[in-house]
Amino acid sequence: GRLYVNRVFRFSAEKMFDLLFTDSYFSRRFMDARKISGATSSSWQRDASGSMKRSLNYTITITNPLVGKFSTATENQTLYKESREGHYYLVDSEVYTHDVPYHDYFYTLNRYCIIRNSKRKCRLRIYTDVKYKKQPWGFVKSFITKNSWSGLEDYFRQLEAELLEEEAELTQGSGDA
Ligand code: YK8
């Protein structure tokens, strides 16, 4: 896998969780910017193992010329019970893109780790891996992996940039920059 984001932000761990994993103004605006439309999400619900789960459905717009312009997608998120509110959040997110070539072979696993640094600082780490449900031919596999990395890199680079902008806006208002 790859580590796409690994950085300290000047807002609390709790704030980071709210921005990324609730129906926040930030996440809605980010989806608009990425042309992700028709999003529906369930609320966080505890499962039998004690972890929290929710799922999202949406339509993504794809810029890769090898693929159709749109695909529906499902994202299943797990907030592990090892998480500690305000201190440490571990979220795994499995993303299935239903309408791309070879969609039945692979999905993407994004692991988000938010760690409290101080009252108003946290570290965000995002680790990504392309997972296979069945083994495709070698050349198909490298094709899928290569095309996934480029799309993911672009996505997380923009997410990091938008978070930095949010940070700038928040610190401006509080006068302790
Ligand atoms: C989530 C991973 C692969 C997929 C795409 C498929 C290439 C198909 C390969 C063929 C288009 C928002 C991606 C990037 C679409 C976007 C997905 C996003 C960014 C040619 C063999 C959607 C995070 C996420 C996870 C997986 C990404 C897809 O929050 O290349």
Side-chain angles (χ1 to χ4, degrees), residues 58 60 62 67 75 95 102 108 110 143-144 147-148 151-152 155:
Y58 44 75
I60 55 172
I62 300 172
V67 188
E75 183 162 345
V95 182
Y102 304 105
T108 307
N110 299 139
F143 185 57
I144 294 171
N147 281 283
S148 297
L152 285 157
Y155 180 84

Side-chain angles (χ1 to χ4, degrees), residues 34 36 58 60 62-64 66-67 73 75 77 93 95 97 100-102 106 108 110 112 130 140 143-145 147-152 155-156:
R34 295 298 308 183
I36 294 174
Y58 44 75
I60 55 172
I62 300 172
T63 49
N64 188 325
L66 299 173
V67 188
E75 183 162 345
Q77 299 180 340
S93 166
V95 182
T97 43
V100 303
Y102 304 105
F106 75 102
T108 307
N110 299 139
Y112 298 79
V130 180
V140 171
F143 185 57
I144 294 171
T145 307
N147 281 283
S148 297
W149 286 144
S150 61
L152 285 157
Y155 180 84
F156 287 121

Side-chain angles (χ1 to χ4, degrees), residues 53-92:
K53 295 232 155 120
R54 71 165 191 165
S55 57
L56 292 85
N57 284 288
Y58 44 75
T59 301
I60 55 172
T61 305
I62 300 172
T63 49
N64 188 325
L66 299 173
V67 188
K69 206 172 180 307
F70 302 101
S71 173
T72 56
T74 302
E75 183 162 345
N76 296 325
Q77 299 180 340
T78 304
L79 170 64
Y80 287 101
K81 65 167 186 291
E82 289 72 22
S83 303
R84 290 288 167 267
E85 203 178 344
H87 289 262
Y88 176 68
Y89 301 82
L90 181 61
V91 177
D92 270 356

Side-chain angles (χ1 to χ4, degrees), residues 28-47:
R28 266 179 275 150
R29 212 183 38 189
F30 184 63
M31 282 185 165
D32 282 348
R34 295 298 308 183
K35 298 199 172 69
I36 294 174
S37 63
T40 59
S41 63
S42 63
S43 56
W44 285 105
Q45 235 132 34
R46 201 168 291 284
D47 73 0

Side-chain angles (χ1 to χ4, degrees), residues 95-161:
V95 182
Y96 297 84
T97 43
H98 304 298
D99 309 308
V100 303
Y102 304 105
H103 62 89
D104 48 340
Y105 282 87
F106 75 102
Y107 64 95
T108 307
L109 178 68
N110 299 139
R111 170 163 284 190
Y112 298 79
C113 187
I114 304 169
I115 308 157
R116 177 190 155 116
N117 246 12
S118 67
K119 200 171 167 209
R120 280 192 219 136
K121 277 188 188 169
C122 69
R123 177 177 293 276
L124 174 67
R125 284 210 188 101
I126 306 174
Y127 169 87
T128 295
D129 209 359
V130 180
K131 297 280 189 188
Y132 289 88
K133 289 185 280 180
K134 21 182 192 177
Q135 282 307 312
W137 288 3
F139 87 90
V140 171
K141 191 171 175 176
S142 61
F143 185 57
I144 294 171
T145 307
K146 184 175 157 282
N147 281 283
S148 297
W149 286 144
S150 61
L152 285 157
E153 175 161 11
D154 185 56
Y155 180 84
F156 287 121
R157 201 188 295 127
Q158 187 173 1
L159 180 64
E160 183 167 17

